[in-house]
Amino acid sequence: MLALLVTTLLTAQPVATDAPDSDAYLRQYAKTRRFMAGRPTGAKATPDGKTVLFLRSGPTDAVQALYTFDVASGQTRELLTAERLLGQAKQELTPEEKAAYERMRISARGFTSFTLSEDGKKVLLPLSGKLYVVELQSGGVTQLKAGPGAFDPRFSPDGKHVAYVRDNDVWAVELASNRERRITRGGTELKTHGLAEFVAQEEMSRFSGYWWSPDSRSIAFTEADSSALETFTIADPLHPEQGAHEMKYPRPGKANATVRLAVVPASGRGEPRWVTWDAKAFPYLATVVWAKGGPLTLLVQNREQTAEQLLAADVATGRARTLLTEKDDAWINLDQAFPRWRKDGKGFYWLTERNGAPEVELRGNDGALLSTWVKTDAGFADLVGVDEASDSLYFTGGTNPTESLLWRVRAGGAPERVATPDAGSASVGASLGAEGKLLIVGTSTLTSMPRTFVLRADGTPVGQLPEVAHEPSLKVNASIQKVGAGEGYWTMLVKPEDFRPGQKLPVIVSVYGGPTSQTVRHAPVALLDQWLANQGFLVVRADNKGTGRRGRAWERAIKGDFAGPTLDGQVEALQALAQKVPEVDLTRVGIYGWSFGGYMSALAVLKRPDVFHAGVAGAPVTEWMDYDTHYTERYLGVPPAASEAYTRSSLLPLAPGLRRPLLLVHGTADDNVHFFHTLKLSDALFKAGRAHDVLPLSGFTHMVADPLTTERLWARVAGYFREHLRNTAATVGGTEPAAR
C-alpha cells in the first residue's frame, strides 16, 4: 500500500500557482473555528429561572470557560476557567474523552460540557480526567476525589452524589464526604460497564451507558461485550514509533457488540438485576430513559431497523412489558428526545412517522394513544421541551424545510409561532429550562452568524448572551430557491461578491446528500462557499432525495441504493437551476464534499463524467461493506441478503470508468471512515490505469480542526478547481478527454 500511495502522489498533476501561499480569510476562518469561537454554547437555565450558564472561548482560540448570565440585571460574569483549575499543567484527554469528542464532533477544549444539579445550585465540570463541583452562589470549587480518568459524570437527582465511568465500571462519589465507591464490578476493555458502544455513540446519538433512577437509589447500566467484533488497527504512518491503536469495529453482516441492561443499587452493595427482552429479535438497545413520572424505559430495535419496541421494565423482577411497537418497511428514524415522560405521570410524548411525516403523540402509561399534539403538516424538526405548568409543548420546524422556526402548541390546539428577538431569522434552535421558566434561543440567517437570546416562556425577551466573536470579512451573496418539476429540489446559489450578470462562470457543487441531512438552510452555511465563489465560481448546493424535512417517502427513496436517487437528484437540480440562471456554465462543473459528501463527489465524476468535470472527495466511503453496521444496514439492508444493494452502491466497480480529475483527501487516523477506504479506491484506480490524486492528512481523524491544515487544505481544493475548471472548458456531448 505504501508503494501505491507514493506512486499516486508522484503522478499527481501540479496545482495552479495563481493562488497566494496564504489567504487571510482562510486563516481567519480556521483560527476562529468557522467564526464560531467566542460565541455562547451549551447554555442552560437554572430551574428557578434566575440564571443562565454557558460556555464561551475567546475569538481566536478553542479553550472555553464557564460564564453566568443574571436574568434580573442582564449582567454576565466569568465563573470559572480551565486555567484556574489546571494552573500550568496541560489539559490531557482520556481515551474515552478522545473517542467521545470524535463521535460528537467536538473540537473545543477547556470546558466542553457541564451539568447542573436538579436544584440548580451546583455545577459539575469534567476537565482533563478530573471532576470539579462549583457552588453557584458562592463560586466555591471542590475537586472530587475520583480516581483518574473519570468519564461521563452526572449528578444524582437528589444532588448528593456524582456518578461516572472509569476503568470500564461505574463509580460514584458522595459529595458530603468526598468519598469514592464502586457501583459495578467486572468491567473490562472488551466487556464494558456503563459505556456506550461504538455504534450507539456514532449512529444512535446515545452517548451514555448508565442512568440514575429518579429516587437516586439505583443505577441502570449497560454491559457491552465487543469480543466478537473485528479488530481494526489505526496507525500514523508519519510516526511508526508510536505504534498502532486498536479498536473494535462492526462491519455490515458481521458481529455487533452484545448489549445487556442491568439495575444495581447505587450503594454499590447488591447484585445487578438484568432486564430481559427478546434480544434475539431486537438486539439493538437504542434508547434508555429513566425519568420522573415514568418507569425505566427501553427502546429496542431489530437488526434491520424496520421494527422497534418501546418497553417498560420492572426493576424488581427485570421483566419488561411492551408499551408500543413501530414498524416501517424501509427503516425507522431515531430521535433521542423521545420518549419524553411527563413528570405528572400522565404518560409520555412519542414521535412517529407512520402517517408519512413526523407527528408527536401523547400516550398513556400503558402506551395507548391519548392525542396527537403535532401533526404531519406542521413540519416538525426538533423537540425543544414541555412546560407542564401551562401544558405547552415547544418545537422547531415549519412547512418550509430550509427554515427552522420556533413553535408552541397546547393540548388540542394548533401550533403558534413564538416570535424571537431577531425577527428576520429563519433558523432557530432552542432549549427550555427544567421548570419551563426560560427559553434559550439561538438565531441565525443565511447571511448572519448565530446570536443567543434569553426569553420568558411566553416569548417575552429578557436579554442576549454576549459574544466576543469575529465576524466574517466576506459578505455572503447567496440565494435559496426551489427548482425542477413536481416535488422539485431546494437549492442554494452562491455568487461572487463582484458578480456580473451575463458572465458565464464555472460551477462547484458543494454536496453532502446523505440520509436525513440538509445543506440548503437559512443558516450561515456558505462561509467557505463564498470564499470559493469569489475566486471566479458559482457554488451550488442541492438537497436530493434521501435528505431530511421532506417527508417519509422522500427520505426512503434511497432504500437499497445510495448511488441512484442521490446522484440523479444532484444532476436534476443542477440542470434545473441552470435553466433559471444563465450564468451557470454546465460545461465546467466541479464537485466537492466530505464523508458521505466525499462519496457523492467521487461517485459523480466516476458515474456521470458528462455532467461533472472534476471532483474533490474528502474522507469518502468507497465500499459500504466496510462501513459500520447500524448506519449502513439501516439504508442498504443486512448482508448477505442485501448484497446487491452494496454492489450497486460501491465505488470500486466504477474505477475503470474514471475520465475526470479526482482528488482524494483523507485523514490517516480516521476511525469513522477509515483511511483504507481511500486506499481501496486508489488501488482500484491505479490497477485500472486511471491517474488520480491523493492527499493524506497525517494523523488526522474524521475532523480537521488544526488551523494551518484547514487553511492549506482549502487552498489545495480551490487550486484544484482553478486548474481543472476555470481556464479551459470541458467537452460535453463529444469525445471524452483522455484519462489523466
Side-chain angles (χ1 to χ4, degrees):
M1 284 298 184
L2 179 59
L4 170 64
L5 179 58
V6 172
T7 301
T8 304
L9 290 173
L10 290 177
T11 59
Q13 298 295 316
V15 179
T17 59
D18 59 344
D21 290 336
S22 184
D23 183 282
Y25 180 81
L26 271 185
R27 194 179 315 113
Q28 185 190 34
Y29 175 88
K31 288 185 176 179
T32 61
R33 292 187 291 132
R34 306 179 308 279
F35 300 99
M36 291 303 294
R39 302 184 192 278
T41 185
K44 296 182 178 71
T46 55
D48 60 12
K50 294 181 179 180
T51 306
V52 174
L53 293 93
F54 63 95
L55 302 174
R56 194 184 69 194
S57 71
T60 58
D61 67 72
V63 181
Q64 297 181 151
L66 180 65
Y67 293 82
T68 64
F69 171 84
D70 182 72
V71 172
S73 67
Q75 298 298 306
T76 296
R77 66 183 179 93
E78 183 181 82
L79 183 62
L80 190 63
T81 67
E83 183 181 17
R84 175 182 162 189
L85 297 180
L86 295 177
Q88 299 300 313
K90 181 181 178 182
Q91 181 179 2
E92 300 289 344
L93 298 181
T94 66
E96 291 82 8
E97 285 176 319
K98 289 179 181 178
Y101 285 10
E102 183 69 21
R103 303 283 78 79
M104 292 186 277
R105 311 297 187 253
I106 294 174
S107 60
R109 292 299 180 261
F111 300 133
T112 60
S113 66
F114 66 91
T115 306
L116 277 171
S117 60
E118 197 166 289
D119 61 9
K121 295 181 179 180
K122 294 185 287 289
V123 184
L124 174 62
L125 290 157
L127 180 68
S128 207
K130 300 178 177 66
L131 304 179
Y132 301 88
V133 171
V134 183
E135 294 289 340
L136 193 55
Q137 186 171 2
S138 67
V141 181
T142 301
Q143 180 180 338
L144 299 186
K145 294 180 180 179
F151 173 72
D152 189 22
R154 262 168 289 154
F155 283 113
S156 58
D158 63 11
K160 296 179 180 179
H161 303 82
V162 168
Y164 47 89
V165 179
R166 74 171 181 88
D167 296 333
N168 301 301
D169 270 310
V170 182
W171 300 68
V173 165
E174 181 186 50
L175 297 184
S177 63
N178 203 356
R179 292 180 180 175
E180 182 185 55
R181 66 174 180 272
R182 192 172 196 147
I183 306 300
T184 68
R185 288 169 173 78
T188 68
E189 288 189 10
L190 293 180
K191 188 179 287 187
T192 62
H193 291 158
L195 288 174
E197 71 277 17
F198 175 85
V199 294
Q201 294 187 48
E202 183 66 43
E203 308 301 356
M204 302 178 192
S205 295
R206 177 171 67 77
F207 298 106
S208 186
Y210 78 91
W211 300 265
W212 281 101
S213 64
D215 63 7
S216 302
R217 297 170 66 181
S218 303
I219 287 178
F221 70 94
T222 60
E223 179 184 83
D225 184 350
S226 59
S227 57
L229 273 65
E230 293 180 291
T231 301
F232 279 17
T233 56
I234 301 174
D236 183 355
L238 195 63
H239 294 285
E241 75 282 359
Q242 294 180 357
H245 163 67
E246 291 188 351
M247 67 174 296
K248 292 292 187 176
Y249 194 84
R251 288 196 276 187
K254 299 186 178 183
N256 267 314
T258 300
V259 181
R260 299 196 294 168
L261 183 73
V263 178
V264 66
S267 64
R269 296 185 294 272
E271 294 300 313
R273 174 81 67 181
W274 296 99
V275 177
T276 58
W277 73 90
D278 188 354
K280 184 175 181 180
F282 298 94
Y284 283 128
L285 179 61
T287 303
V288 178
V289 174
W290 206 353
K292 182 179 179 181
L296 174 60
T297 310
L298 298 67
L299 181 65
V300 295
Q301 297 179 312
N302 65 346
R303 177 89 182 228
E304 295 78 8
Q305 298 170 65
T306 56
E308 64 183 19
Q309 288 185 338
L310 188 68
L311 308 173
D314 183 335
V315 297
T317 65
R319 289 192 292 268
R321 60 185 173 90
T322 303
L323 295 173
L324 61 86
T325 300
E326 289 276 357
K327 294 183 178 180
D328 190 297
D329 291 340
W331 72 78
I332 300 171
N333 286 317
L334 272 177
D335 189 325
Q336 292 293 346
F338 299 93
R340 203 277 188 192
W341 285 91
R342 289 179 62 98
K343 295 178 183 178
D344 61 14
K346 292 182 179 178
F348 62 91
Y349 295 95
W350 179 249
L351 182 68
T352 182
E353 292 182 90
R354 76 176 70 89
N355 293 318
E359 292 179 291
V360 179
E361 305 169 332
L362 178 63
R363 290 180 169 266
N365 291 323
D366 60 355
L369 178 63
L370 301 179
S371 58
T372 300
W373 280 52
V374 182
K375 299 181 179 180
T376 57
D377 59 359
F380 177 89
D382 293 295
L383 179 68
V384 172
V386 176
D387 176 22
E388 294 187 22
S390 64
D391 216 18
S392 300
L393 181 147
Y394 295 81
F395 69 96
T396 57
T399 56
N400 184 336
T402 71
E403 298 178 342
S404 182
L405 306 176
L406 181 60
W407 303 86
R408 175 176 56 211
V409 61
R410 294 182 174 89
E416 305 167 346
R417 184 177 173 186
V418 179
T420 59
D422 192 354
S425 176
S427 181
V428 176
S431 63
L432 183 68
E435 296 300 324
K437 291 182 171 63
L438 293 178
L439 281 164
I440 300 169
V441 178
T443 68
S444 62
T445 70
L446 190 56
T447 58
S448 63
M449 296 300 292
R451 296 194 292 169
T452 305
F453 298 94
V454 180
L455 284 65
R456 303 288 182 190
D458 61 2
T460 304
V462 171
Q464 180 181 350
L465 299 185
E467 56 195 41
V468 294
H470 291 321
E471 296 299 318
S473 56
L474 299 183
K475 180 181 179 181
V476 174
N477 183 15
S479 59
I480 290 176
Q481 60 180 312
K482 197 176 190 182
V483 300
E487 295 174 292
Y489 299 94
W490 284 102
T491 64
M492 179 188 298
L493 177 65
V494 183
K495 302 175 182 178
E497 288 180 286
D498 61 355
F499 174 75
R500 289 180 291 170
Q503 180 186 13
K504 285 273 189 180
L505 292 175
V507 177
I508 299 175
V509 175
S510 171
V511 68
Y512 185 77
T516 73
S517 66
Q518 287 179 269
T519 63
V520 181
R521 297 181 289 121
H522 281 86
V525 296
L527 298 176
L528 274 176
D529 293 356
Q530 188 63 58
W531 177 79
L532 281 172
N534 283 357
Q535 298 178 60
F537 300 101
L538 294 174
V539 182
V540 173
R541 293 174 176 239
D543 285 337
N544 47 259
K545 286 190 175 181
T547 57
R549 299 279 306 277
R550 296 291 300 273
R552 181 197 173 280
W554 177 275
E555 267 192 46
R556 270 64 168 190
I558 63 169
K559 178 66 176 182
D561 187 2
F562 275 157
T566 53
L567 184 57
D568 290 346
Q570 290 293 321
V571 172
E572 292 167 11
L574 176 63
Q575 293 174 341
L577 182 65
Q579 293 178 2
K580 289 191 171 187
V581 183
E583 291 83 4
V584 170
D585 187 348
L586 291 180
T587 69
R588 294 181 290 168
V589 179
I591 185 169
Y592 81 90
W594 198 268
S595 198
F596 198 100
Y599 165 77
M600 289 288 291
S601 298
L603 176 69
V605 295
L606 288 167
K607 194 174 181 181
R608 293 300 303 268
D610 57 318
V611 176
F612 300 98
H613 310 104
V616 176
V621 178
T622 62
E623 170 57 80
W624 289 102
M625 287 294 293
D626 292 327
Y627 200 55
D628 72 55
T629 51
H630 193 269
Y631 181 93
T632 316
E633 292 174 352
R634 183 188 318 152
Y635 306 117
L636 297 184
V638 181
S643 58
E644 289 185 9
Y646 287 80
T647 301
R648 186 184 306 122
S649 302
S650 175
L651 297 181
L652 303 185
L654 303 176
L658 181 66
R659 297 291 186 273
R660 300 297 189 189
L662 174 61
L663 170 62
L664 304 174
V665 183
H666 216 130
T668 61
D670 196 331
D671 65 353
N672 178 10
V673 183
H674 294 83
F675 183 48
F676 71 77
H677 278 272
T678 279
L679 292 181
K680 277 194 172 184
L681 181 55
S682 179
D683 181 60
L685 292 168
F686 176 73
K687 290 176 179 176
R690 297 303 176 189
H692 59 287
D693 303 314
V694 177
L695 174 60
L697 303 178
S698 180
F700 283 93
T701 61
H702 205 57
M703 296 189 297
V704 181
D706 175 67
L708 178 60
T709 304
T710 300
E711 182 181 344
R712 297 303 188 204
L713 172 59
W714 282 103
R716 177 80 163 97
V717 170
Y720 201 79
F721 286 127
R722 274 193 303 271
E723 177 189 1
H724 296 296
L725 295 180
R726 199 175 69 179
N727 297 324
T728 57
T731 301
V732 176
T735 304
E736 293 290 343
R740 297 174 51 253

